[in-house]
Structure formats: structure tokens, C-alpha cells
Amino acid sequence: MENIVLHKAETRGNANHGWLNAYHSFSFASWYNPERIQFGALRVLNDDTIAGGMGFGTHPHDNMEIITIPLEGDLAHKDSMGNTEIIKNGDIQVMSAGTGVQHSEFNPNADQQTKLLQIWLFPNKRNVDPRYQQITLNIADRHNKLAQILSPNADDEGVWIHQDAWFNMGNFDSGVSTEYKIKKEGNGVYAFILKGNVTINGQELNTRDAVGISGTDTLNIQANTDAEFLLMDIPMNY
């Protein structure tokens, strides 16, 4: 039986630190909501705006798959594996924290803000060797169709992670519709609307709204305006 969880944009947690304005879809840091801990293996979805020249100092992670999707501006990344990189809109970055990794993330530009999504998924293997991957995607591939940006398979489109998860992004013109088939039995989809108005399985969603759908194998997606969205197909039991 289809199960739907609706998360309207204004129900998210918000922490505005001045240098960082963060919206939390799930309980994070000082924002705790017992009904918003996770959706299946999806533990964190943070919608962050970082002021010019500011950022997160070096901090640790372990046993988490961490995906960063820049939406605007640049993000400078440095980690204990020796990676020093800049990621920007069109890129996707993943870290398998595994046995432990430390990293810092800064906005290298004093004159513009950086916007990004940071997503944490529980892995399907614990204590793996930490790894880092970053690729540049062609945003044009998402025009009026779904483009895969992440999967469990290193030879698939996009980055790969230690979890049976598939992420797709779409930039749809008003009136365009599509059908999405869930990739693995028992998975659900958490859909996050970056901008616009979209109806998914009868649920109307606006900018920064989200819906979690499980217990079905198909999503019917209709863009009611020009729209941009992210679909996260993830295990409900992991």
C-alpha cells in the first residue's frame, strides 16, 4: 500500500547563524523533531546558504555516505585524505566516511554566497576505507528528462556510494510529465523540489517542499510550472 509523507518547506528546521542559514528536512544539530529523524536510509537533507568567505571548520565524520550538491557559487573542500578541491553548480561530490574522515568546507568567494544541498545516507557497509569522488555533470542532460547523478554502481552515470540508492535530477518545462520506476523492491523515493510547482502521485509540491513515497513501484511526475527537482530512490529497510 502506498505511503506518503509530506514535508512542506515551512515545516523544516531553520538555524540562521548569520554566516550560515541552514534549513533541515530532518533533525539536525539543535533542531530536533521526533517525527523527522529519517526517511529510510536518508538521515540528513540540509539546504544551506553560506555567506562570502565563511564556512565549516575541520570536523569528523564516520560510517556515513555524504553527498554535496552545489546549487550556486563555489565550495572549497579539504579533507584528511589529501583532497583539496573546489566544487560548483553542476558538480556532485561524495565522501564515504567509513572508518573516519575529517574535512572542512568554505565559500572561497568574499563577494558571493554559496548555496548547496548536503545529504547523508546510512551506508550498507560499515567501516569501509574512506573515499572521495567528485564529477562534473552536464546540466543540459536534465532538460525535460530525469538524469541519474548517483547510484550504487561505479560504472553507472554519476557518482557511486555504498548503498542501494539512485538519485536523479530534472529541469522540466511547464506541462512536461514523466514516469519514474523505483529501482529496487522495498525502496522509497524522497522527492525535493528545488524550484517550481510539481505534482507527484497526486501530491502538489512547491519550491523547497518534499514528499516521501514508499510502498509503490511507480511515480507519476507532472511539472505545473518550470521546475527543478531531485529524486532520491533509497532503501526503506537497510
Side-chain angles (χ1 to χ4, degrees):
M1 192 175 118
E2 185 173 88
N3 184 40
I4 291 184
V5 181
L6 186 61
H7 290 164
K8 300 295 283 182
E10 64 274 11
T11 67
R12 297 178 297 168
N14 177 231
N16 192 339
H17 304 283
W19 68 271
L20 169 69
N21 189 15
Y23 286 89
H24 311 306
S25 294
F26 301 96
S27 294
F28 190 84
S30 61
W31 185 67
Y32 177 74
N33 179 337
E35 296 180 358
R36 299 275 282 270
I37 304 295
Q38 64 197 85
F39 178 81
L42 174 61
R43 174 60 190 88
V44 168
L45 172 57
N46 287 347
D47 181 6
D48 292 348
T49 301
I50 304 171
M54 305 301 285
F56 302 92
T58 302
H59 57 281
H61 294 282
D62 66 75
N63 286 314
M64 197 66 77
E65 301 294 301
I66 299 168
I67 301 109
T68 304
I69 304 175
L71 304 173
E72 180 186 307
D74 302 330
L75 188 71
H77 166 99
K78 197 173 197 174
D79 66 43
S80 53
M81 295 176 278
N83 298 293
T84 304
E85 303 288 348
I86 301 278
I87 58 172
K88 54 191 66 189
N89 186 26
D91 296 344
I92 181 170
Q93 176 207 73
V94 64
M95 269 195 331
S96 299
T99 53
V101 66
Q102 301 215 20
H103 75 143
S104 62
E105 300 158 292
F106 277 87
N107 176 354
N109 304 312
D111 58 345
Q112 70 178 95
Q113 63 186 18
T114 296
K115 294 189 173 190
L116 60 96
L117 298 180
Q118 187 162 98
I119 300 160
W120 299 5
L121 294 185
F122 291 112
N124 57 15
K125 293 185 179 121
R126 288 182 62 79
N127 298 322
V128 300
D129 289 336
R131 59 176 282 272
Y132 178 91
Q133 186 185 10
Q134 171 187 339
I135 62 170
T136 299
L137 301 160
N138 184 356
I139 292 176
D141 289 345
R142 307 172 195 167
H143 185 229
N144 290 332
K145 59 181 185 289
L146 297 172
Q148 183 174 288
I149 63 167
L150 174 148
S151 80
N153 308 309
D155 52 357
D156 267 10
E157 290 291 313
V159 294
W160 69 273
I161 63 167
H162 294 286
Q163 189 50 277
D164 292 326
W166 290 261
F167 288 11
N168 281 267
M169 292 186 81
N171 292 350
F172 281 25
D173 295 335
S174 179
V176 173
S177 61
T178 194
E179 188 177 86
Y180 176 79
K181 295 275 191 196
I182 309 283
K183 294 280 195 275
K184 185 177 179 186
E185 190 174 351
N187 274 21
V189 171
Y190 195 79
F192 186 72
I193 311 305
L194 288 158
K195 65 179 182 193
N197 179 290
V198 181
T199 301
I200 301 179
N201 285 19
Q203 293 291 321
E204 188 178 345
L205 306 161
N206 288 299
T207 300
R208 270 24 189 208
D209 289 349
V211 66
I213 301 176
S214 56
T216 186
D217 57 8
T218 306
L219 300 186
N220 292 297
I221 302 163
Q222 163 92 29
N224 306 313
T225 64
D226 291 354
E228 184 178 353
F229 54 91
L230 168 66
L231 302 181
M232 293 169 274
D233 183 335
I234 43 189
M236 298 308 292
N237 300 299
Y238 56 93

